[in-house]
Amino acid sequence: MAQSVGGVWNYDEKSTDCTGAAVFKSLITNNSKELLYFSDFPFPPDWPAFLTQREYISYINSYADNFDLRQHIRLEHEVLQIVQAPDYDVTGRWRIRYKSGNTEDEQQFDHVMICTGMFSEAYSPTYPGQDEFGGMIIHSNHYRTPGQFVDKNVLVIGDSYSAGDVATELGFHSKQVYLSMKKGCYVFPKRGPGGLPFDAILATRWRYCMPEWLIRYGTKRFMEKDVNYEAYGLQSEHKLFQSEIIANDFILTQIIHGRVKIRPAIRKFFHRGVEFADGSRMDNLDAIVFGTGYRTKIPIIGDDLVSDDFKTREIYKYILPVRLAHPSLVLVGIMGVFGATAPSYEMQARWATRLFSGNLTLPSLPKMLREIEGMRKVMLEINHKHTIKITPYFYNTDLAADIGCRPNLFRMLLSDPALAIHMLFAPAVPASFRLVGPNSWPGARDAVMNCWNNYLAGTQGRPIAKSAKTTNKYLFYLMGVIVFVPAVLFYVRR
């Protein structure tokens, strides 16, 4: 039950009984700030490129205050159940049963957004002999600080973000850390060429105009230029962009220092040890940390209305359950994102409010079902399982077209060529979807134009004389003009 705004970003060292996601004390965002903000409220320019939990929760509170949202938020109210109101067939209304303190009550609403997120139930696999282990076993959602693992032998299990972050931090404090991986992963560096965030360089619009195989080839070459994935034991079973990811520069250093040692998947447990899939064994383990992710559950609404099974869930744009008689209930944030989550979830909320207000027309049910089935096949091919993990740029652009806030780069080239070229070669920042259309924002242009400078503003702690050898901005614009027209035509076709 929330006591303050910010949800999962509120750090609570004493609360270790949660079933869903939680943050640990030293957490740093996986994505850089210019891709992470809500579209009409950028982060302060002098903040670092990647943010701590304290900085991000401060931002959430500032956002709530700036838009005077607290008057609309009921803290310490636990929603117990969402059901159709008695007159739903006529009105489309919903009845919400909730608990506040020791009192239960209910209220009816015209529209409902379920925003409970992807990480609602921590998932820990079970292995033969696990009950015989005898040491500490926890999920990463209970991990807060490394204190209880100092001078311990720790095995972390998992191939992705949480497992990598926990293993990296424990490598500085524990006696020895082992990281068991089933399928391997790619390690996305946070620093890219020129010291700029790597995710920002990947998120430029011109990049998405290129064939996927070429994007994969160039990205993979950069990531492997000083890392031998096979020698480090990280080699993934799947192609880049279809594999698990760790976004932590330090884990490679921890591996080469021997503080973190990669091991294969686990076959079984025994007392204070495990046997791996290759037959090797490890003894004298003190603790196990599962960094094995989460299941998505929505227990507050019936499975007949919104299925928890991704194989059968019929959600248009991953927002609207299409089998409901009235489009008055939506899901926001119930999907994975290959990148920054908040801007995509904000676009979902904008799309939903346009729908609720009667300003968005839905396709026919057969057409929506065809799109749902097509995307289900795409997600299965990319993720190798029935789950949802979208690419922000394409997804956000698709929603923007429905909302009416998708910028037209060709028209922009005629009216504001500097902005148009910047839009193509700079990161596709959230503010780009506030330039035009409903609820446009006067500060959007400056936010787009200043994004590269904002990345560096947080690191420049002392004045440095500018080098005489600087990039000629006119060369940059010339390059933009040369490639802009064919790139925009490709962009428009997509």
Side-chain angles (χ1 to χ4, degrees):
M1 188 181 299
Q3 297 180 339
S4 58
V5 298
V8 68
W9 287 95
N10 285 291
Y11 174 73
D12 187 348
E13 187 168 352
K14 297 179 181 179
S15 176
T16 57
D17 59 349
C18 60
T19 58
V23 296
F24 53 93
K25 190 172 185 178
S26 63
L27 183 141
I28 303 290
T29 58
N30 292 321
N31 301 105
S32 58
K33 67 176 183 179
E34 293 299 298
L35 300 177
L36 195 57
Y37 61 80
F38 295 120
S39 59
D40 51 358
F41 197 71
F43 293 101
D46 59 347
W47 281 23
F50 294 88
L51 308 173
T52 65
Q53 171 271 332
R54 294 183 300 277
E55 288 163 334
Y56 196 79
I57 197 64
S58 173
Y59 169 80
I60 295 294
N61 277 278
S62 296
Y63 182 87
D65 292 335
N66 185 75
F67 294 100
D68 198 20
L69 299 180
R70 296 185 193 274
Q71 62 175 318
H72 305 291
I73 300 172
R74 300 185 190 179
L75 297 172
E76 299 183 322
H77 280 63
E78 178 185 2
V79 174
L80 303 174
Q81 188 181 38
I82 301 174
V83 298
Q84 294 173 344
D87 61 351
Y88 171 83
D89 290 340
V90 176
T91 66
R93 287 166 62 84
W94 296 86
R95 186 172 65 193
I96 311 298
R97 186 165 63 87
Y98 62 90
K99 182 178 180 180
S100 178
N102 296 321
T103 304
E104 289 191 17
D105 204 347
E106 62 181 42
Q107 188 173 347
Q108 291 192 15
F109 293 88
D110 295 321
H111 301 99
V112 174
M113 292 186 184
I114 299 178
C115 311
T116 51
M118 281 285 290
F119 309 125
S120 51
E121 184 180 289
Y123 168 68
S124 298
T126 56
Y127 295 93
Q130 190 167 324
D131 293 340
E132 303 171 10
F133 178 68
M136 179 194 303
I137 299 180
I138 67 168
H139 190 275
S140 60
N141 74 321
H142 288 165
Y143 177 82
R144 298 292 182 272
T145 65
Q148 60 186 325
F149 300 96
V150 172
D151 295 329
K152 306 287 187 181
N153 290 317
V154 184
L155 174 65
V156 180
I157 302 172
D159 303 69
S160 197
Y161 297 108
S162 295
D165 287 344
V166 171
T168 298
E169 178 166 71
L170 291 182
F172 291 107
H173 304 277
S174 301
K175 183 177 180 181
Q176 182 62 59
V177 177
Y178 303 92
L179 179 56
S180 169
M181 290 187 166
K182 186 176 182 180
K183 297 181 180 179
C185 71
Y186 282 93
V187 178
F188 268 63
K190 292 187 175 179
R191 285 176 295 133
L196 293 165
F198 189 49
D199 67 338
I201 293 172
L202 292 181
T204 51
R205 278 182 168 82
W206 72 269
R207 173 184 172 272
Y208 291 110
C209 299
M210 299 165 60
E212 184 176 329
W213 66 266
L214 185 58
I215 299 172
R216 181 181 291 111
Y217 174 79
T219 305
K220 196 166 182 283
R221 283 293 300 269
F222 176 80
M223 291 172 59
E224 293 181 343
K225 66 183 177 65
D226 57 358
V227 180
N228 187 326
Y229 276 79
E230 186 175 346
Y232 278 34
L234 297 169
Q235 189 69 45
S236 174
E237 294 181 2
H238 303 298
K239 295 187 294 186
L240 182 63
F241 305 136
Q242 297 183 7
S243 65
E244 299 292 350
I245 293 170
I246 290 176
N248 193 317
D249 299 67
F250 296 108
I251 192 168
L252 300 174
T253 302
Q254 293 289 56
I255 292 172
I256 202 169
H257 285 176
R259 303 304 306 137
V260 174
K261 297 183 178 181
I262 307 299
R263 293 292 182 265
I266 293 172
R267 178 181 295 166
K268 64 180 181 180
F269 281 59
F270 52 86
H271 182 68
R272 292 302 179 96
V274 296
E275 180 179 314
F276 296 108
D278 63 355
S280 61
R281 293 164 60 94
M282 182 178 297
D283 299 290
N284 302 317
L285 288 174
D286 298 299
I288 305 285
V289 180
F290 283 107
T292 43
Y294 297 84
R295 289 192 174 107
T296 303
K297 302 288 184 182
I298 313 177
I300 57 177
I301 192 167
D303 202 58
D304 58 323
L305 297 175
V306 180
S307 172
D308 282 333
D309 187 354
F310 285 115
K311 295 179 183 178
T312 59
R313 180 181 286 184
E314 294 177 325
I315 311 294
Y316 181 60
K317 307 282 188 184
Y318 308 126
I319 304 174
L320 177 69
V322 296
R323 296 291 186 179
L324 298 177
H326 297 276
S328 57
L329 179 143
V330 298
L331 311 181
V332 173
I334 317 293
M335 65 176 188
V337 180
F338 188 75
T341 57
S344 293
Y345 298 163
E346 182 198 12
M347 290 297 291
Q348 288 186 315
R350 293 178 68 185
W351 189 93
T353 56
R354 297 289 290 175
L355 176 66
F356 290 163
S357 62
N359 292 305
L360 193 151
T361 303
L362 294 171
S364 65
L365 178 60
K367 186 173 182 179
M368 288 191 289
L369 290 173
R370 285 196 298 271
E371 181 173 326
I372 290 169
E373 187 57 34
M375 289 307 300
R376 197 193 315 275
K377 292 178 180 178
V378 170
M379 290 294 106
L380 181 60
E381 179 182 353
I382 293 174
N383 300 312
H384 313 288
K385 56 185 176 182
H386 286 285
T387 189
I388 303 169
K389 196 166 189 179
I390 58 93
T391 300
Y393 172 74
F394 294 121
Y395 183 77
N396 296 349
T397 301
D398 181 53
L399 295 186
D402 288 348
I403 295 167
C405 63
R406 177 181 175 176
N408 186 310
L409 298 189
F410 188 75
R411 291 179 185 172
M412 192 180 294
L413 180 63
L414 301 177
S415 61
D416 192 341
L419 176 61
I421 293 175
H422 205 85
M423 285 275 289
L424 189 63
F425 289 99
V429 297
S432 63
F433 297 115
R434 292 283 183 179
L435 290 165
V436 297
N439 305 113
S440 58
W441 173 50
R445 186 184 188 280
D446 287 343
V448 172
M449 295 295 289
N450 293 329
C451 63
W452 287 128
N453 291 335
N454 289 346
Y455 274 128
L456 300 177
T459 63
Q460 295 171 342
R462 66 188 182 95
I464 304 290
K466 296 292 184 181
S467 170
K469 185 180 180 181
T470 58
T471 303
N472 190 322
K473 66 178 181 180
Y474 298 107
L475 180 62
F476 172 81
Y477 287 119
L478 177 61
M479 179 180 66
V481 171
I482 292 172
V483 303
F484 188 89
V485 173
V488 166
L489 292 176
F490 185 83
Y491 169 83
V492 170
R493 286 200 303 270
R494 299 196 69 149

